Amino acid sequence: MEKNLKQQKTNIIKIALFGPESTGKTTLAKQLAAYYETQWVPEFARGYLQKRWEENKHICDAGDMLPIAYGQVLLENEKVSSAKKYLFCDTNLMVTKVFSEVYYGFCDPLLNEAALKHDYDLFFLTDIDVPWEKDDIRDKAEGRETVFSVFKQTLIDNNKPFITLSGDKESRLAKAKTIVNALSALKEKGLSSEDFVEIYNHGISSENILKQLEIFKNGIAKSNLISPATIGNGILSLSEKDFEEKAAFFDVQKEELKIKKFVPASGAATRMYKFLTAFLNDFDIQKETINAYINRKKDKELAIFIIGMEKFPFFDAVDKKLREIYSDFESLERDYKNYYFIKTLLSSDYFNSANKPKAVLPFHQYKDHIANPIEEHLNECVHYATSKNVSNLHFTVSEIHQDLFENAVNEIRGKIEKPSGVAIDITYSYQNKSTDSINVDAKNKLVRDKKGTLVFRPGGHGALIENLDILDADVIFIKNIDNVIQNHIDQITLYKKALGGILIAIQQKTFAYLREIEEQEVNEESLLQIIEFLKQKLHIELGKDFNKFTFENKIIKIKELLDRPIRVCGMVRNEGEPGGGPFWIMNGKGEISLQIVETSQVDLTNKKQLEILETATHFNPVDLVCGIKNYKGEKFDLKEFVDHESGFIVEKSVEGKPVRSYELPGLWNGSMADWLTVFVAVPLITFNPVKTVNDLLKPAHQPQ
């Protein structure tokens, strides 16, 4: 036998099966080789030791390790030359190394060095959740857990890319094929095995990664604006009496429905305090005054914060803490007082405000207490999202923040439930990590942190379509966590109920038409009524070609248009707030529809598109009421109604360096692009977001 431990170089993808005895390595290697029509490398030790056992009942000892290693390398090198794209290795020198160390407490230096040098694109670590199968040369079933742990730790210690395979033969094979295909696809794009394992463990599919890489390379097509949606041209305008009638209709209908409120509340309040964080990072109180800093930076936000400091709902708590920390606080100069106030507000040792979710921060000062957004949402919920004396509220949260939410809810819930007589059922969900994005630099190369690991970023609000999809309700109100108001609950309730009433009325009419279609009760006359409903209530034009269809095909088309989830969206007058607005847009098929479009989705270099954008009269305040069930009471698969061609490329920074990442189509624009849509003008009082801490100084957030 040739005594050579050098591994032959190759461009094919090599997968090593790695694990203790009797964990299905051979079976899987054979299955994968057969599926991919390529070679697999058998375990040399099996034939070698079986022969010696049959000759003289020889049991494996330390002296067999090097001969086994030589034989294994020879087998692998022979198979490489005839393999096609893939080579599946039943075992490898790393297995021999581990057995030598486990059973004999020693590994020959030659074997150890070669085992560490040998390169595989991926290791499949085979789990011990399969039955032990005894034969002449296997040891014993006892102690498998310990041996498995050693195998796993060896891969970790030597930075080998591996994925654990568990389950029965069928599930292992299915999982392995998916992994091999994904690995191959990403390696073709220049990603390493280590990159692949990180992405796989994070839960992002290779298809999503390939899509993201394509988007980074080619960009995202901009929306094709036709015109802004305006009053009478896509936006419904109601009188106060109309709102009252719609709200009354909602109250009549709601007891027969399950109603829920959905509040996106993930992430920390970092942006809310961004200008204060920048101030602390850049300001040196020993070298300049705060006023000099404000002038140098032209920082109006900081000036407003300091002037209005005593009006913030958290002022008294921070001021009290300052006097505990600094015994001479009262005698300090004004600049020092202001500087220490901001520092204490953001310090992780004290209030840590920028790292907490907005939901638990103090927003409103009432006579007897301070309310956070969670309290305001619970209070709103019992007013308009209630039926049969039960109010259902769902928060999307970050996993690390759920305890903060639950503690806040426990403190508040009783104060609202008891006087209202309404039980509040609160549930939570996390944004799915599988929707996260990788980050790339200016050259579209993957970005890593100082430790060399990939940097991932949440996929934006669009990812929450999956969270919305899991809910079970007939009517769902959607409102952002920071869009709350102090007082005026009766007015907020009126407009929210009115939107709910509009939704239910449209839903009832739509469902009635769909049932007529299913029961084949539609004739030429009733078809014209449905077409008029589509045009007048849902703003859907059927196009010239529709008249060329046969009656049967017209019915098919009508059913396709009607059988979708429904959203009714409140729209406020545009007063310069950044964000999305209502527009008529044309998609790639030439279809025109009402959509909410973000500024970043518009080609600002196109004068015509810019003109349309600038003539918009209304703004999207994220004030939605949704119906996510069909006419049979079955839930829609909301992922089927997403415009996957839309989305956002956002620019951020990682460790001070600019990076780009991809955000999914926004929850209320691209992720609901194929929903039935109604826009309704609502008063500005319904829109009171807190984007920066200074927004808390606005009248809507101040005591009256």
Side-chain angles (χ1 to χ4, degrees), residues 656-684:
K657 297 178 181 179
V659 302
R660 297 188 302 155
S661 63
Y662 168 69
E663 283 193 3
L664 293 164
L667 180 58
W668 27 83
N669 46 44
S671 285
M672 294 181 173
D674 291 334
W675 290 39
L676 297 175
T677 297
V678 177
F679 292 152
V680 181
V682 292
L684 270 170

Side-chain angles (χ1 to χ4, degrees), residues 552-568:
E552 289 74 18
N553 285 336
K554 285 179 180 179
I555 294 297
I556 292 170
K557 180 64 176 179
I558 291 291
K559 185 177 188 298
E560 177 191 321
L561 291 172
L562 287 175
D563 198 14
R564 306 186 199 184
I566 307 171
R567 58 176 175 163
V568 176

